[in-house]
Amino acid sequence: MSDAAQPTAAEVRAAAEAVKTALDRHLAAVERRSGEDDPAVLEAFNQLAAAAEAYDELLYDRHDEVTPFEIPSAEETLPPYAGPEEPSAISVLIRRDYAVVEPQRLLAQAQRIEAAEYEAAGGLAEDAAGTVPGALGILFGEFEPDEIASRHKEFGLEEGDSTLWVTASDEAPEAGEWLEAPFEHIDAQGVVCRFDVSAVFDDEDESDEEDDLEFVEDEDDEAEAKVTER
């Protein structure tokens, strides 16, 4: 950045004062909060985040320095809950990622299951277990997802990221209503809580050890897991 485009020292100082004011305003809102989702606290939080981000940018442009603040982006946080206060139905959405690290182990397990099933039926095996896609179909048809999660190493799989979302609604959907597109049209404002597991949180924890101040609301990182609740 050229010298002409750099912010002035006075602008950086003003941004720092804005952060101090926003901190005071946020603390005052927290002390007066009327409940868990007090809109005044949320507004003060957003103002504090915006002030810190502006100061961080000006500080870097002027002095080539950064702050220890971490500002959560819209992609990292859920919007305020706007679902029913007393939901009569919930949906649990789960995604688990796996890497196929030992395909021969996976094929062997599937072939064993297939052989046992066709032996019990008195017929010949169709050899669906001869391919990885076929073996996966047999595996997930035989075992519940939770059992596969607990025994994944036996099946030649390695765990990746996973997430679980609990959403609330006024009434349960009609039978078969969402089967064609089960993961579409999810309203983020109806999410009651979510639980994420990822190795990336290890990196975040290491980074947090060097940070003196972190602006994060309603999140608690533990080891490799992150929980977001209302």
Side-chain angles (χ1 to χ4, degrees):
M1 178 179 291
S2 66
D3 291 341
Q6 286 184 345
T8 66
E11 289 175 327
V12 178
R13 174 61 59 182
E17 293 298 328
V19 173
K20 298 175 186 178
T21 301
L23 277 168
D24 290 338
R25 185 181 300 114
H26 182 262
L27 177 57
V30 170
E31 291 174 337
R32 298 192 305 265
R33 74 188 311 161
S34 59
E36 183 177 352
D37 298 320
D38 191 325
V41 174
L42 178 60
E43 181 181 0
F45 171 84
N46 291 334
Q47 291 175 351
L48 176 56
E53 186 172 17
Y55 171 63
D56 189 87
E57 291 178 358
L58 291 173
L59 185 69
Y60 180 80
D61 291 342
R62 176 70 184 184
H63 301 291
D64 198 24
E65 289 290 343
V66 296
T67 68
F69 304 155
E70 180 180 344
I71 311 302
S73 68
E75 297 177 351
E76 295 174 330
T77 58
L78 291 170
Y81 177 69
E85 293 185 3
E86 297 183 3
S88 57
I90 64 169
S91 295
V92 180
L93 294 86
I94 302 175
R95 171 173 172 168
R96 297 187 178 113
D97 286 357
Y98 298 95
V100 181
V101 292
E102 296 183 79
Q104 292 306 317
R105 181 184 292 271
L106 171 66
L107 294 172
Q109 290 281 11
Q111 289 165 0
R112 178 183 60 79
I113 296 169
E114 187 178 53
E117 288 181 349
Y118 280 93
E119 181 179 353
L124 298 176
E126 295 182 358
D127 198 27
T131 65
V132 170
L136 289 170
I138 291 174
L139 178 67
F140 281 87
E142 178 72 12
F143 300 104
E144 293 291 331
D146 286 345
E147 184 172 1
I148 293 176
S150 64
R151 300 174 55 188
H152 61 277
K153 291 183 179 179
E154 296 179 31
F155 306 126
L157 304 177
E158 182 179 276
E159 285 183 314
D161 290 354
S162 68
T163 186
L164 181 151
W165 294 35
V166 179
T167 65
S169 57
D170 287 317
E171 58 183 22
E174 296 291 335
E177 180 178 339
W178 48 259
L179 292 179
E180 292 185 1
F183 301 112
E184 292 185 0
H185 312 301
I186 301 302
D187 184 0
Q189 290 187 312
V191 177
V192 177
C193 61
R194 62 179 290 180
F195 179 75
D196 298 330
V197 176
S198 175
V200 73
F201 300 142
D202 286 341
D203 298 333
E204 290 182 3
D205 290 341
E206 293 175 2
S207 175
D208 290 346
E209 291 177 358
E210 302 175 358
D211 292 351
D212 297 324
L213 178 61
E214 178 179 311
F215 290 135
V216 177
E217 185 177 56
D218 294 338
E219 293 186 356
D220 182 19
D221 296 353
E222 296 181 0
E224 299 182 353
K226 178 179 287 186
V227 181
T228 303
E229 297 182 346
R230 301 298 185 182

